[in-house]
Amino acid sequence: MKPFTADIISTVEFNHTGELLATGDKGGRVVIFQREQESKNQVHRRGEYNVYSTFQSHEPEFDYLKSLEIEEKINKIRWLPQQNAAYFLLSTNDKTVKLWKVSERDKRPEGYNLKDEEGRLRDPATITTLRVPVLRPMDLMVEATPRRVFANAHTYHINSISVNSDYETYMSADDLRINLWNFEITNQSFNIVDIKPANMEELTEVITAAEFHPHHCNTFVYSSSKGTIRLCDMRASALCDRHTKFFEEPEDPSNRSFFSEIISSISDVKFSHSGRYIMTRDYLTVKVWDLNMENRPIETYQVHDYLRSKLCSLYENDCIFDKFECVWNGSDSVIMTGSYNNFFRMFDRNTKRDVTLEASRENSKPRAILKPRKVCVGGKRRKDEISVDSLDFSKKILHTAWHPSENIIAVAATNNLYIFQDKVN
């Protein structure tokens, strides 16, 4: 049974404490899950996430000047660190970024002077005494309200948003430009990168992802469809067209093929929590770069090398253009990324061990332990292996998230969200 397109999850993000997990979908909705608090009689339930709030973040729009429909699909969600009782998050579709406030209400005021209990205005002539309004307890309500709307700044589709470590500014990136915003100012942004050529026929690459450094508010990186990463420093100049560092791996001539350019396009770029490394994901690999070494990555992990022989059919069914994301664990020692057939991969940077796991209804009964999966390329297939020819390319894991401090992961498989955690004794 095919899922409704509107229900397909398009982004997953833990907040800074890991107590909340937000997902966005193609229908423009944001669903926030909250972690259950541990109780004395249900010790093992700690770690379960239940729905906390659901709201419609974006609606479909129409650009009358360009005669284009603007999808409501949520491309990215980014949390702001919590400053008070309320939570704040940024969500974006192709054109508009919104800042949402999510807050709780468990009391309501009663005893107004100018309104009756139904909220109707009273005739001032009938008011003979003054009452002091009181707050009465009520059932907990979680409200989501849009506090800022940052619109009309992108000609092309937004692919990334990233909150700066100063928590006063954030950036939004589309195919050709990156803009810097202040959270308080919605009608003006600064263009910090512009790679649009004077003649669009000379266009050779586009921006695919961008992210701020986790600690230095002046530094950010962006990746391109040519497989390169540029590190920029906003102290150098207002317009960061001239990069500070340029990371590119020389191509192996023996691997050159018709598909080389397509599969070298970077679909995601992430700074490590320490700020020392950058991780990039292209179609077949995950690479880890040291900020101090630009000429090649220090680590390369094969995600699904068995697909190298299938690139022709993946090109025909458009899967070769899928954009997989990648994430670090809290200590930067393990990295995770998705694949096809609802498989996702984990690579341990210290032991160099890797594992393939599957997120599917059949093997995801509560408390069940995930069994490692293996893909067989040719020759004889073992009992527990799956043949590369029987992989389902419509089941793909593009979006994953890792709890900031614990071994809890969230994996979006089409319209299902799976949450796995380390085995608890």
Side-chain angles (χ1 to χ4, degrees), residues 16 161-167 169-171 180 192 210-222 230-235 245 247 269-278 289-292 332:
H16 292 255
I161 47 175
S162 179
V163 178
N164 198 345
S165 59
D166 63 9
Y167 305 132
T169 55
Y170 76 91
M171 69 177 169
L180 180 70
I192 51 175
E211 191 177 54
F212 268 119
H213 190 284
H215 313 303
H216 304 313
C217 61
N218 51 282
T219 311
F220 67 93
V221 290
Y222 68 92
R230 291 172 175 86
L231 181 95
C232 300
D233 188 338
M234 292 193 290
R235 294 172 301 186
K245 292 194 173 192
F247 301 86
V269 60
K270 292 266 170 60
F271 271 106
S272 61
H273 295 85
S274 66
R276 171 75 188 267
Y277 304 103
I278 311 169
W289 304 77
D290 189 316
L291 282 192
N292 301 329
D332 301 332

Side-chain angles (χ1 to χ4, degrees), residues 255-386:
N255 277 342
R256 181 100 189 115
S257 75
F258 170 76
F259 304 108
S260 295
E261 281 188 23
I262 302 172
I263 63 171
S264 67
S265 175
I266 292 173
S267 53
D268 196 16
V269 60
K270 292 266 170 60
F271 271 106
S272 61
H273 295 85
S274 66
R276 171 75 188 267
Y277 304 103
I278 311 169
M279 169 168 57
T280 59
R281 169 73 208 256
D282 57 40
Y283 191 64
L284 294 177
T285 66
V286 172
K287 291 171 182 164
V288 176
W289 304 77
D290 189 316
L291 282 192
N292 301 329
M293 190 166 86
E294 298 166 57
N295 58 346
R296 61 189 167 85
I298 55 166
E299 297 158 28
T300 300
Y301 301 98
Q302 300 297 333
V303 178
H304 38 214
D305 203 46
Y306 46 78
L307 295 183
R308 210 175 274 280
S309 59
K310 296 261 176 272
L311 292 177
C312 204
S313 53
L314 291 163
Y315 178 74
E316 283 166 9
N317 64 15
D318 278 351
C319 284
I320 202 167
F321 301 106
D322 285 334
K323 292 177 168 43
F324 292 95
E325 294 171 7
C326 51
V327 288
W328 302 88
N329 72 339
S331 61
D332 301 332
S333 60
V334 183
I335 54 188
M336 173 172 65
T337 191
S339 180
Y340 293 105
N341 208 67
N342 279 352
F343 289 171
F344 59 98
R345 303 270 283 135
M346 285 183 174
F347 303 95
D348 188 312
R349 298 178 59 210
N350 300 326
T351 63
K352 300 300 178 204
R353 296 224 306 262
D354 65 277
V355 66
T356 303
L357 299 169
E358 183 181 1
S360 67
R361 293 224 168 148
E362 293 73 54
N363 65 359
S364 295
K365 305 206 167 41
R367 318 250 158 259
I369 293 171
L370 290 182
K371 292 190 181 73
R373 303 300 307 261
K374 280 203 168 54
V375 176
C376 151
V377 182
K380 238 175 145 193
R381 185 168 67 87
R382 290 209 189 99
K383 191 175 82 149
D384 56 346
E385 290 183 337
I386 181 165

